[in-house]
Amino acid sequence: MAGSAHRGGAAAGHVAEHGAGGAATRPSDYIWALARISIGWVFLWAFLDKTFGWGFGTPADRAWVGGASPTTGYLKGTARKPLGAVFSPLAGHAWADWLFMLGLLGIGVALILGVGLRLAAVLGGLLLLLMWAAELPPEHNPFMDYRLVYALVIVGLALVNAGDTLGFGRWWGNTALVRRYPFLR
């Protein structure tokens, strides 16, 4: 009897605190949301800087809008790495530039808005894994670097539905498109 009264009290408290249809938002949900937005900004900033050459990572004379290739510097720099024979020849091809830049933009926007996190986790994880492989071995560690850490965090963000807090994830998940194709969640 006491157990059922306790469960009823807890449920009533939950409804009073979060509303009849709402899910609880814990402090950790905000941390995950801030991590999502932060990593999204890393991707979006890379896109913007490479596109416009704002001088942080890309000088103005190497901007994509000025005709420079956003993949050339990085991929040509992998020529002496163990997998350089795989990655270096891809440098400067228009299709590689477009895939890379659309990936940065799409992953960044998805993470910042909190929509399409499953797809962003797969594509972002793949992009980061390829960039990690191109740099093998990493400069400061035998195998681990920030790209692998970001990939793991992005997957975690998708698994905990981090787009629902400070994002449009809950709304996105209830759209007809996402209900029909849940991998877009």
Side-chain angles (χ1 to χ4, degrees), residues 44-65:
L44 184 58
W45 179 256
F47 169 80
L48 293 170
D49 191 46
K50 289 175 187 327
T51 300
F52 301 108
W54 287 337
F56 288 87
T58 306
D61 63 335
R62 293 179 57 206
W64 196 30
V65 296

Side-chain angles (χ1 to χ4, degrees), residues 141-184:
N141 192 294
F143 71 93
M144 183 58 69
D145 80 348
Y146 70 92
R147 294 169 192 93
L148 293 180
V149 174
Y150 281 178
L152 289 170
V153 172
I154 293 170
V155 169
L157 294 170
L159 292 174
V160 300
N161 295 323
D164 291 358
T165 304
L166 301 178
F168 298 103
R170 187 166 291 132
W171 167 81
W172 177 252
N174 288 323
T175 63
L177 177 68
V178 176
R179 283 195 311 257
R180 184 171 179 168
Y181 303 105
F183 71 91
L184 295 174

Side-chain angles (χ1 to χ4, degrees), residues 54-180:
W54 287 337
F56 288 87
T58 306
D61 63 335
R62 293 179 57 206
W64 196 30
V65 296
S69 167
T71 61
T72 296
Y74 183 77
L75 290 176
K76 285 290 183 190
T78 66
R80 296 179 189 247
K81 299 285 186 168
L83 296 177
V86 173
F87 292 101
S88 186
L90 303 176
H93 290 284
W95 64 268
D97 291 344
W98 276 95
L99 281 176
F100 178 63
M101 295 300 282
L102 289 175
L104 291 175
L105 176 63
I107 295 161
V109 168
L111 289 170
I112 289 171
L113 296 179
V115 299
L117 292 187
R118 289 179 185 170
L119 191 56
V122 170
L123 296 176
L126 178 61
L127 177 62
L128 289 162
L129 187 62
L130 289 170
M131 291 175 74
W132 171 80
E135 283 288 323
L136 278 175
E139 185 177 350
H140 300 292
N141 192 294
F143 71 93
M144 183 58 69
D145 80 348
Y146 70 92
R147 294 169 192 93
L148 293 180
V149 174
Y150 281 178
L152 289 170
V153 172
I154 293 170
V155 169
L157 294 170
L159 292 174
V160 300
N161 295 323
D164 291 358
T165 304
L166 301 178
F168 298 103
R170 187 166 291 132
W171 167 81
W172 177 252
N174 288 323
T175 63
L177 177 68
V178 176
R179 283 195 311 257
R180 184 171 179 168

